[in-house]
Amino acid sequence: MRADQAFSRAAAALAGEDPPRVWSLLVTAFGDLARTEAARLSGPLLTRLLGRVEIRPEAIRTALHRLRRDGWIDASRRGREGSYALTARGLAESRAASPRIYGPAPAPPETWHLLIAGPGAAEGRAAYEAALRLQGSLALGDTVLMRPGPGPAPEAAAGLLVLAVAPGRAPPWLADRLCPPDLAAAAAGFAQAAARARASFGAADGLPPLDVAALRLLAVHGWRRVALRIPVVPPGFLPATWAGEACRAEVSALLAALPRPDPAVLEQAARAP
Amino acid sequence: MRADQAFSRAAAALAGEDPPRVWSLLVTAFGDLARTEAARLSGPLLTRLLGRVEIRPEAIRTALHRLRRDGWIDASRRGREGSYALTARGLAESRAASPRIYGPAPAPPETWHLLIAGPGAAEGRAAYEAALRLQGSLALGDTVLMRPGPGPAPEAAAGLLVLAVAPGRAPPWLADRLCPPDLAAAAAGFAQAAARARASFGAADGLPPLDVAALRLLAVHGWRRVALRIPVVPPGFLPATWAGEACRAEVSALLAALPRPDPAVLEQAARAP
């Protein structure tokens, strides 16, 4: 199989049916390639890289504009060529998400706290609503939520019954709530896509650096949409058919087969005709 | 103070404002005086004993009839005189209640299970309703209940999230739910009544045996109505102002000052003019 055919088949497997949102694809690209404060990606590189996955230059310009307006990236210009870097905030958020995308499955805490508000009780309702908004809170019903770790601050628990728990296994209604059917389907689907993509260039060798970066982009982007939605919950709380970890393994194997190209090499390739 | 005055004051303190239900007073009398299978209380003794607390003979006859019909007592007759004993069922229920009335506060289990049904989920609803009906279940909301001890059988928990908990302190809404205001008021009120009753005959001595039995009857009856409603829950689950244990202590002191008379002595006294 020719390298070009291998790329097309792998890209088709990873791209899925819906066209990606370009600004989101750019967030993935910066997350994969611009991982330090000094790292910049040039306009020509972004155009060539995203062009390889069928994104038109105007769409890229619009998305870059949006990301600048949102404070995610900064732009600078030397002569006719623009270049882009993550802002401090963009870098911080990118780094915060990175372990969940590139790392192993995070180990959930062993102990949790259950916070229970009185049924229909105005007392404690505000504390309950506040606790519900905290990251990591799992609503188990209209008056019950579970929070990881050492529990909320006492003031946050005023009026609530607080119980330390070591959760075991969740019933199906809770597992389905934590991993809704569309997430379960996305995980299973992308696990297959990653496996198909790896198979398609497994025989080929010497993919050009821009093709490697483009396939990584599609792989990380598709996986990121699953990975960032995976709840960090006790092991027995996910559905029995949950394919999220299989998907993580397939994506890891795929990324290992597509080592991240040196950005300088990519910049050079982007300027070749 | 004369013994008769002491009795009147003590009886007035213990009787409270509402007239007692006679059949319920008889249940208390059998529970206090007829504690074995062989123990019988004669018609004349019941008439004199309850007469001492202002219950008329016709009301006693009606209540005895009701208790026989309900299978709580058996009647037998020798000549013109009837006598009554607890049935096997009456004795069993009386003995089951006895520790909660005469004993120390029962120690609640340290570990509990929490059973959580899905919000609006038909699945597990039947298991939840069944668990709710089991003795000792505390409803903490529309979908949450707490059960003492090692938890329900697995089949009872199908479709429910089951969590082992070691409860600490309950918020006010839950404490008020477990000890509703009328129960809290009754406990506080009867603690005072028992203290006043003991003070009124503390100086006097040599109360007649029927008076001792009648005061015990009022004391046990008033306390029984509180004691059997006290929930067996973690120590921190009762309201901060809960006077139930103070009431238990006052009643214990009162009963210690009024030792249970020998039933044979009471039968003899009931026949005296």
Side-chain angles (χ1 to χ4, degrees):
Chain A
M1 204 192 296
R2 284 181 43 223
D4 210 44
Q5 258 187 318
F7 172 83
S8 299
R9 291 195 185 185
L14 294 171
E17 288 171 15
D18 302 324
R21 281 174 297 181
V22 182
W23 67 266
S24 180
L25 205 55
L26 280 170
V27 165
T28 303
F30 279 95
D32 199 45
L33 294 172
R35 301 163 71 88
T36 65
E37 283 176 48
R40 306 194 72 81
L41 302 179
S42 72
L45 171 53
L46 291 172
T47 305
R48 283 291 292 273
L49 181 62
L50 272 69
R52 202 70 183 101
V53 299
E54 315 296 336
I55 311 290
R56 285 169 303 125
E58 312 86 78
I60 300 172
R61 273 199 297 277
T62 306
L64 285 169
H65 184 76
R66 172 177 172 175
L67 288 173
R68 286 176 65 184
R69 191 194 59 198
D70 291 351
W72 194 273
I73 59 171
D74 274 333
S76 69
R77 184 160 284 281
R78 182 189 290 184
R80 287 187 56 205
E81 189 179 298
S83 76
Y84 306 88
L86 289 170
T87 60
R89 182 196 138 210
L91 193 62
E93 297 206 22
S94 189
R95 282 178 174 165
S98 183
R100 300 188 69 177
I101 299 168
Y102 294 95
E110 288 178 12
T111 61
W112 297 66
H113 278 86
L114 215 64
L115 279 63
I116 306 179
E123 182 199 352
R125 201 68 222 171
Y128 182 81
E129 304 287 350
L132 201 53
R133 284 190 295 269
L134 295 175
Q135 204 189 354
S137 288
L138 304 179
L140 304 185
D142 297 334
T143 58
V144 193
L145 66 85
M146 204 164 94
R147 283 201 43 75
E155 64 269 21
L160 303 179
L161 175 61
V162 180
L163 298 166
V165 293
R169 186 155 288 283
W173 63 263
L174 179 53
D176 288 345
R177 197 172 189 179
L178 296 171
C179 279
D182 70 305
L183 176 59
F190 203 70
Q192 290 186 357
R196 275 203 309 277
R198 189 152 58 99
S200 51
F201 67 83
D205 209 353
L207 284 174
L210 273 171
D211 285 6
V212 170
L215 289 182
R216 282 185 65 90
L217 181 61
L218 292 176
V220 174
H221 191 66
W223 165 239
R224 178 171 158 262
R225 282 158 40 171
V226 170
L228 296 184
R229 287 180 66 198
I230 300 178
V232 181
V233 294
F237 271 40
L238 298 170
T241 54
W242 173 237
E245 292 315 309
C247 188
R248 187 189 303 276
E250 287 295 348
V251 170
S252 288
L254 178 61
L255 293 180
L258 297 165
R260 184 183 283 118
D262 181 339
V265 171
L266 289 175
E267 291 289 358
Q268 206 168 14
R271 280 157 186 81
Chain B
M1 202 192 294
R2 284 180 44 221
D4 210 44
Q5 258 187 316
F7 173 82
S8 300
R9 293 196 184 185
L14 295 171
E17 288 170 16
D18 301 324
R21 280 174 298 180
V22 183
W23 67 265
S24 179
L25 205 55
L26 280 170
V27 165
T28 304
F30 279 94
D32 199 44
L33 295 171
R35 299 162 72 88
T36 64
E37 284 177 48
R40 307 193 71 80
L41 303 179
S42 73
L45 171 54
L46 291 172
T47 305
R48 283 290 292 272
L49 181 63
L50 272 69
R52 203 71 184 100
V53 298
E54 314 296 335
I55 310 291
R56 285 168 304 127
E58 313 84 78
I60 300 172
R61 272 198 298 276
T62 306
L64 285 170
H65 183 76
R66 174 178 170 174
L67 288 173
R68 284 176 67 184
R69 192 195 58 199
D70 291 351
W72 193 274
I73 58 172
D74 274 334
S76 68
R77 184 160 282 283
R78 182 189 291 183
R80 286 187 57 204
E81 190 179 297
S83 76
Y84 306 88
L86 289 171
T87 58
R89 183 195 138 208
L91 192 62
E93 297 205 24
S94 190
R95 282 180 173 162
S98 183
R100 300 188 70 176
I101 299 168
Y102 294 95
E110 288 178 13
T111 61
W112 298 66
H113 278 86
L114 214 63
L115 279 62
I116 306 178
E123 182 199 354
R125 201 67 221 171
Y128 182 81
E129 303 287 351
L132 201 54
R133 284 190 296 268
L134 296 175
Q135 204 189 354
S137 288
L138 304 179
L140 304 184
D142 297 334
T143 57
V144 193
L145 65 86
M146 204 165 94
R147 285 199 42 75
E155 63 268 22
L160 302 179
L161 175 61
V162 179
L163 298 166
V165 293
R169 186 155 289 282
W173 63 263
L174 179 53
D176 288 346
R177 197 172 188 182
L178 296 171
C179 279
D182 71 305
L183 176 59
F190 202 71
Q192 290 185 357
R196 276 204 308 279
R198 190 151 59 97
S200 51
F201 68 82
D205 209 352
L207 283 175
L210 273 171
D211 285 6
V212 171
L215 290 181
R216 284 184 65 89
L217 180 61
L218 293 176
V220 174
H221 191 67
W223 165 239
R224 178 170 158 263
R225 282 159 38 172
V226 171
L228 296 184
R229 287 180 66 198
I230 300 178
V232 181
V233 294
F237 271 40
L238 298 170
T241 55
W242 172 237
E245 292 314 309
C247 190
R248 186 192 303 276
E250 286 295 349
V251 170
S252 288
L254 180 60
L255 293 180
L258 296 166
R260 182 185 284 117
D262 181 338
V265 171
L266 288 175
E267 291 289 358
Q268 206 168 14
R271 279 156 187 80

